[in-house]
Amino acid sequence: LQTMSGNEDEWLALRPQEPSPSQCCGSGCKPCIYDVYEKELAQWERAKAKQDKSLLTEEKEQSNNSELNPDTFTAFNISSVEQLTEDTYQYKFELPGNSSLRLSLGQHIVLRGEVNGLEVQRAYTPISPRNAEGYFEVLVKCYEAGLMSQYIKTWKKGDTVFWRGPFGGFPYRPNKHGELLMLASGTGLAPMLPILQSITDDEEDETFVTLVGCFRTFETIYLKPLLRDLARYWNIRIFYVLSQETSLEKLPWSYQENTYTGRLNEDLMKTIINSCRRKPFLLICGSPAFSEDMKRYLKAAGIEENSCFVF
């Protein structure tokens, strides 16, 4: 009898642990961490029924072959850390050889971190071009009280970090839409950049793009040189809406004519939509509150729900 209960304990120790709510990033990933748990639990139950522990080793929890996978976490090394604003950083990760992540446009990947023994997972969208070889880059805003931020703030060059994915994405096809109107708040800029770069890289793609970037101040606009380069293309326009700037006079003159102060409200939204050269299809990315506001303004401007995609 003694051996039986010892055996029971061993099996219980091997039972997969149900994820805590902090481990779900809430981005609707397929598979979600709960789906992965269900799969591992079923595998554990099969192995236990057959009393065969070797059946448990089919799925490793993480892999080191640097091949991104939606089911398991893969280790990637940080090759550089660059601070962009007081709370925003750009991290570059190594990919072996000249491999690329092979993401579809606007897809996100999920990061796993540990803070005070608690596992946390969050979704981020790589900002590097889709065909970038040997590396990928992620834009991260660190929040004072954010659990994941506390973990990310410790990162330095050479550290190993675990990602899984890819998930989601906007099914973009060249020339499918006459004009894309992108509404991005802060790091909501991330999923817009690979789409913009794929349009400017493709000479056959004649989609017009109007990007509206919402930031607090001129200083907090990310990646100004990259955005400046993109705005030189004949079919790309970029506007900025700065909620905490009171006047445009202090801004470089090249920014004055395409920058608004205050918030992106219903009136400004109508002005921007009316300035579009073709009927726009909307892409929205920001906080849940930002997305809700934008959808409300668009409705008021007569844009149907099926002409919108929210990241």
Side-chain angles (χ1 to χ4, degrees):
L1 244 164
Q2 190 63 46
T3 53
M4 273 304 287
S5 63
N7 188 20
E8 247 343 88
D9 288 346
E10 275 176 40
W11 277 103
L12 274 180
L14 291 168
R15 189 178 200 270
Q17 284 218 300
E18 182 164 2
S20 66
S22 74
Q23 287 174 265
C24 176
C25 70
S27 300
C29 307
K30 293 268 181 287
C32 166
I33 182 142
Y34 286 102
D35 300 331
V36 173
Y37 163 70
E38 294 293 337
K39 189 172 152 191
E40 287 174 352
L41 187 62
Q43 190 180 349
W44 176 81
E45 284 167 348
R46 277 197 307 276
K48 185 170 183 280
K50 292 186 173 167
Q51 291 289 304
D52 180 357
K53 287 183 184 146
S54 72
L55 294 172
L56 289 175
T57 53
E58 293 164 18
E59 293 282 328
K60 286 227 177 351
E61 205 217 346
Q62 55 199 38
S63 100
N64 287 312
N65 64 358
S66 291
E67 182 79 18
L68 197 62
N69 180 324
D71 296 302
T72 55
F73 281 94
T74 302
F76 293 94
N77 290 336
I78 298 174
S79 57
S80 74
V81 176
E82 191 186 340
Q83 185 165 0
L84 300 181
T85 66
E86 60 174 353
D87 58 3
T88 310
Y89 299 81
Q90 186 172 344
Y91 297 96
K92 193 171 190 175
F93 296 88
E94 281 171 34
L95 289 170
N98 282 335
S99 63
S100 87
L101 271 188
R102 297 197 296 274
L103 300 190
S104 303
L105 289 171
Q107 282 194 309
H108 64 266
I109 53 180
V110 172
L111 170 68
R112 182 177 71 192
E114 198 172 296
V115 184
N116 311 331
L118 181 71
E119 187 180 292
V120 196
Q121 297 191 20
R122 292 281 179 276
Y124 296 96
T125 307
I127 57 168
S128 36
R130 197 165 47 149
N131 50 4
E133 293 180 347
Y135 77 96
F136 68 94
E137 289 173 313
V138 177
L139 182 67
V140 178
K141 183 182 170 84
C142 288
Y143 296 91
E144 207 43 56
L147 276 175
M148 188 59 100
S149 299
Q150 290 171 38
Y151 164 64
I152 289 173
K153 279 179 192 161
T154 67
W155 288 359
K156 51 198 185 306
K157 187 179 169 176
D159 284 357
T160 299
V161 173
F162 288 91
W163 294 97
R164 75 182 175 101
F167 304 105
F170 169 61
Y172 179 72
R173 286 209 315 275
N175 299 311
K176 181 183 177 189
H177 303 288
E179 182 152 1
L180 289 177
L181 174 51
M182 301 176 165
L183 307 175
S185 170
T187 46
L189 192 60
M192 310 301 183
L193 292 174
I195 297 172
L196 272 167
Q197 286 170 317
S198 87
I199 292 171
T200 56
D201 285 349
D202 180 356
E203 287 181 5
E204 307 285 302
D205 194 344
E206 299 192 342
T207 306
F208 281 121
V209 181
T210 299
L211 168 66
V212 182
C214 302
F215 297 92
R216 291 197 308 278
T217 59
F218 181 71
E219 267 62 55
T220 59
I221 298 174
Y222 316 124
L223 307 166
K224 289 190 189 83
L226 172 62
L227 293 170
R228 225 179 8 249
D229 287 346
L230 289 167
R232 291 196 177 107
Y233 285 86
W234 64 275
N235 50 342
I236 312 283
R237 297 187 304 172
I238 300 181
F239 293 116
Y240 298 99
V241 181
L242 306 176
S243 60
Q244 288 172 23
E245 293 283 358
T246 47
S247 120
L248 296 175
E249 284 165 23
K250 298 193 213 70
L251 269 52
W253 67 265
S254 60
Y255 282 88
Q256 290 181 15
E257 61 182 33
N258 57 353
T259 301
Y260 300 92
T261 57
R263 292 197 170 274
L264 178 46
N265 57 24
E266 198 175 305
D267 288 344
L268 182 50
M269 181 74 90
K270 283 182 178 157
T271 302
I272 290 170
I273 288 172
N274 289 336
S275 79
C276 286
R277 294 140 295 187
R278 297 173 181 156
K279 186 173 186 253
F281 184 91
L282 277 292
L283 298 180
I284 303 171
C285 190
S287 66
F290 175 81
S291 300
E292 284 311 308
D293 286 346
M294 295 307 111
K295 287 196 290 196
R296 216 171 52 246
Y297 303 154
L298 291 168
K299 199 172 174 187
I303 301 272
E304 300 94 44
E305 193 102 335
N306 61 4
S307 295
C308 276
F309 181 89
V310 180
F311 285 100

